[in-house]
Amino acid sequence: MRRVIVDSAIYRDGRRTPGPVDLSDALDEARATGDAFLWVGLHEPSEAEFAHVASEFALHPLAVEDALKAHQRPKLEVYDDSLFVVLKPIVYEPESDRVSSGELMVFIGDSFVVTVRHGEGAALAAVRRRLEAEPAVLRHGPTAVLYAVSDAVVDHYLDVAGELQVDLEELEADVFAPTGGNPSNTAERIYTAKRQVLEFRRASGPLVGPLARLTAGSVPFVNEHAQPFFRDVNDHLLRSNEQVEGLDRLLSDVLSAHLAQMGVRQNDDMRKISAWAAMAAVPTMIAGIYGMNFDHMPELSWTWSYPALIALMAGFVAGLYRLFKRRGWL
C-alpha cells in the first residue's frame, strides 16, 4: 500500500494534523471529533491494493470497478455511503503537439476523501499544497477537496485550449502562405489537430452534466453552500467547451480551404500543361506532315521551304504563348 498511497493525512479545522498510519484508525479518529476528515491519495492501484481501501471506506463495488478499469467518461454517481466523481485531466505535450488525457476518481463520504489517479496528467500534489495553504477553504471538508480538484482540472482545460489555438494559428499561416507549404504534410497536421481536439472534447464535454448537478445543489455529501464555487468552475468549463468547439469548426474550415487550394493548384497545373502541349502540337503537326515522304510535295524543292517552315512554327508558338500568357495560363 505504501507504493500506491501518494499521500494520506487528517485535516482538522482546515489544518493538516498527524494521525495514525492505519487507514481504519485514521478514519475513526477523523470521525470521532466531527470537524475533521481523512484525505487519501492513490496512484494506479491494483485490484488487490484497492480492495483494502474499498473495504475500509465501504466503497460501492460498482464505483470500485470503475475506479480500477480507468476507462470512464466524466460522471457523478451517488451511492448510499459515498459520492463518486470521475474527471479526465488533459495534458498538452509541446514536443509532439499532442493532447493526452488521464483519469481522476474522487470518492467522498462521511469524513473522508479518496482520490484515485491514473496517468501522469493528474498530479494532485500542487492542489493539496494549495489547499493546505488556505485553511479557510479546507475547513469546509471533503467538499473543498472536490471543488479544488475540479477547479484545477477545468482551469487546465483553458490552458490546453490556448495551446491548441496557437497550433491552429500556425496551421492557418501554412495553409494560406503563398507557397502553400507541403500539401500532404499540411493535411496530415490538420487531421492530427482534429484528433487532439476530439480528445479534448471527450474529456470536457461529458463533464457539463456532473458540474450542472453540483451547481444546482442537493447532492449528498456536498456542502450546499458550495454552489457558487461550483458555478464558477462550471463557467470555466463552458468557456473551454466553447473554445474547443470553435477550434473544431475552424479546423474544418482550414481543411476545406486547404483542399480547395489544392484543387485550384491542380487546375492551374493542368492549364499550364495544356498550354505547353498546345504549343508543342503545332510544330509537331507541321513536322509530321513533311515527314510523310510523299513523292509529290512541291515544297520540298523550294529553296526557302525549310527556313519558312521553321519561321511559321516559331510564329505559331510565339502567338500561342502570348495568348496563354495574357489569359493567365502561363
Side-chain angles (χ1 to χ4, degrees), residues 259-276:
L259 296 177
Q261 284 188 338
M262 289 183 63
V264 170
R265 293 192 187 101
Q266 288 176 352
N267 290 337
D268 186 56
D269 292 340
M270 288 302 298
R271 286 198 302 266
K272 292 180 179 179
I273 293 172
S274 300
W276 287 110

Side-chain angles (χ1 to χ4, degrees), residues 13 19 60 95 102 143 159 182 193 214:
D13 194 28
H60 196 278
E95 297 82 6
T143 301
D159 296 336
N182 185 348
L214 292 171

